[in-house]
Amino acid sequence: MRWSLVLLSVLALIAGCARGTTDSEWKELALPASGARVVELVPVRDGVLALGSVPSGEDRAPAAWTSSDGSHWRAVAVEPRSPYGSLAELISAGVGDRTVVLGRAFGGSHGNPRMTVWSGDSTKLVEYPQVFELFGGPHSIAVTAAASLGGTDLLIGGWDGADGRYGVAVWVSADGANWQRRVDDPALSSGAGELTGASAITTGPAGFVIVGETQRDGTQLPLEWTSRDGSAWQRIAMPGTAALATQVGCNPARCTVFGQSTLAAPTVLCWPSDTAAAIPGPAATTIDTLKVLVRDARTFAVVRLDGAVHLLSVRPDCTDWQDLPLPVPAARAQLTELPNGLLLSTIEDNASRLWLRAHP
C-alpha cells in the first residue's frame, strides 16, 4: 500500500508537471473589465485596441480598451447617441488619422443586426447615427468590417444593386461621421453573369486590401481588390478555382490571404501573394478563418475547423503548417501581436478570457 501511494504521488507529480508545461505556454491575463467580451483585437501604435461589450443590466453595452502589454488596460470612453448604440457590441475597427469602429446591435421588428458607426481616437469613441437606408433596408446584404488609412475611413459589405444582382459595396468617409455608399464601381460590383462578395478588409503596402470572391456559372473564384484612396479600385483574380478568399493580413512588406476550397472535401488555403498558387492546409467539413496575423518569420491564422478554433502557423511561403496548442478549447477567438508576445482572446457567450504567449 505504501509503495502504491508513493507511485500515485509520483504519477500525479508527473501529470502536474505536464500540465504546467502546457499552461506555461499561455499565461491567462485579467480581463479589462468584469464580464468583458473582447471580440476584436486591433494593433495600434502603442499596443492594442480591444473592442467588445460589457454587461449592462439584462443587456450589454459597447466597450473598448487600450493596452501596451495585455495586462494593464485603460478604458476608452464610448458615447452612444442612439438607442441601438447603447446596445451595440463593437466588432471591427480601422486606425488611420482617426479610429473608425463598426458596432452591431440586434433589434427591430425582425431582429436583424443594426449597424452603428463610431469615430474618435484612443481616448474616446463617439457614435454618429446614420439614416437607416444608408446601411439597411430592402437592398442591404451586410456591413461587415472597417478599415482606415490616412484620412479615409472605409466600411465593406454587400448591396443589392439596381440591376438585381448583389455585389460588393463600400462606404467611405473623410471625417468618420458622414458616409457615402458606393455600389457602382465596376471593379467591385457584380458584372453580367457574376455575383461578387467581400469577406475581409485590411491595409497593407498597396493601400486598402479587400478579399472575397466572385461566383460565375456556379463556381466560386477568389478575388482581391486594392485601392490607395478607397475610391479607385483594382480587381485582382487570384490563382485557383472553386475557392474562397476569406481573410487577409499584412505587414509593411507583404500580405497573406487565407481561405478555403469549396470542393466536396474542403481544405484551408493559404496564398503567399495575390499571384502565387494557394497552398493547402488542414481539411474539415466546415472552415471559418477569423484572423490572419503576418510577422516576418511566420504567419498565424485563427481558423475554426468543424466548430473548434485552431491556431495555425506557416512560413511566409505558406509551407510548414503547424497547429499550435491553445490554452483552452474555444469556438471563437481573436489574436494580435504585442511586443511581449501573442495576445489571444477566447470568446464565450457572455465573456472572454485573455491569454499571452511568448513569441513562438
Side-chain angles (χ1 to χ4, degrees):
M1 178 66 72
R2 179 180 173 183
W3 285 108
S4 298
L5 291 175
V6 171
L7 179 60
L8 289 174
S9 298
V10 171
L11 292 175
L13 180 60
I14 294 172
C17 290
R19 287 195 298 269
T21 301
T22 301
D23 292 343
S24 67
E25 294 178 351
W26 292 97
K27 173 187 175 184
E28 185 164 11
L29 306 176
L31 287 171
S34 178
R37 260 174 55 95
V38 178
V39 301
E40 178 65 295
L41 296 168
V42 183
V44 295
R45 182 173 54 185
D46 54 354
V48 60
L49 170 67
L51 301 175
S53 63
V54 291
S56 177
E58 296 182 356
D59 298 310
R60 298 190 69 85
W65 309 267
T66 59
S67 177
S68 60
D69 60 5
S71 297
H72 303 88
W73 294 93
R74 183 177 58 80
V76 178
V78 292
E79 183 181 316
R81 293 182 173 178
S82 74
Y84 286 122
S86 299
L87 301 172
E89 184 167 70
L90 306 183
I91 62 170
S92 180
V95 180
D97 292 348
R98 295 170 302 279
T99 298
V100 60
V101 172
L102 183 64
R104 180 173 57 199
F106 290 89
S109 58
H110 301 289
N112 294 327
R114 307 290 178 165
M115 310 320 297
T116 58
V117 181
W118 310 67
S119 184
D121 54 29
S122 61
T123 63
K124 185 175 183 178
L125 296 171
V126 177
E127 182 199 5
Y128 290 93
Q130 307 293 319
V131 176
F132 174 70
E133 296 287 339
L134 181 63
F135 296 115
H139 296 289
S140 173
I141 304 299
V143 184
T144 55
S148 186
L149 183 63
T152 301
D153 301 328
L154 201 70
L155 303 175
I156 63 165
W159 198 261
D160 184 10
D163 56 7
R165 295 191 303 269
Y166 70 80
V168 175
V170 298
W171 290 258
V172 182
S173 176
D175 59 9
N178 300 287
W179 291 83
Q180 294 182 332
R181 183 180 64 242
R182 297 178 180 172
V183 298
D184 55 357
D185 187 315
L188 296 169
S189 59
S190 298
E194 71 166 346
L195 296 173
T196 60
S199 298
I201 184 171
T202 191
T203 58
F208 290 106
V209 182
I210 298 174
V211 295
E213 78 284 337
T214 180
Q215 181 172 314
R216 293 179 179 273
D217 300 323
T219 299
Q220 290 170 307
L221 308 172
L223 291 179
E224 180 180 281
W225 295 267
T226 61
S227 174
R228 291 287 181 187
D229 58 6
S231 296
W233 290 89
Q234 177 186 9
R235 181 190 293 205
I236 301 167
M238 300 178 63
T241 59
L244 306 174
T246 56
Q247 282 290 341
V248 57
C250 302
N251 67 10
R254 62 184 177 88
C255 296
T256 301
V257 177
F258 269 70
Q260 65 188 75
S261 64
T262 57
L263 301 172
T267 62
V268 181
L269 298 177
C270 175
W271 288 266
S273 72
D274 55 29
T275 59
I279 305 299
T285 303
T286 60
I287 299 171
D288 184 15
T289 303
L290 306 174
K291 176 63 74 70
V292 175
L293 173 63
V294 177
R295 296 174 61 210
D296 291 340
R298 305 288 298 185
T299 293
F300 299 93
V302 179
V303 181
R304 186 164 52 199
L305 304 176
D306 294 332
V309 166
H310 293 251
L311 179 55
L312 305 179
S313 170
V314 296
R315 291 176 178 164
D317 62 358
C318 291
T319 62
D320 186 30
W321 289 76
Q322 299 178 16
D323 193 339
L324 302 179
L326 291 174
V328 292
R332 290 185 61 196
Q334 279 293 317
L335 182 75
T336 195
E337 182 180 22
L338 289 172
N340 52 334
L342 298 178
L343 181 65
L344 176 76
S345 173
T346 54
I347 305 164
E348 303 166 1
D349 288 342
N350 295 310
S352 292
R353 298 175 72 179
L354 291 180
W355 312 84
L356 185 71
R357 173 178 172 154
H359 286 303

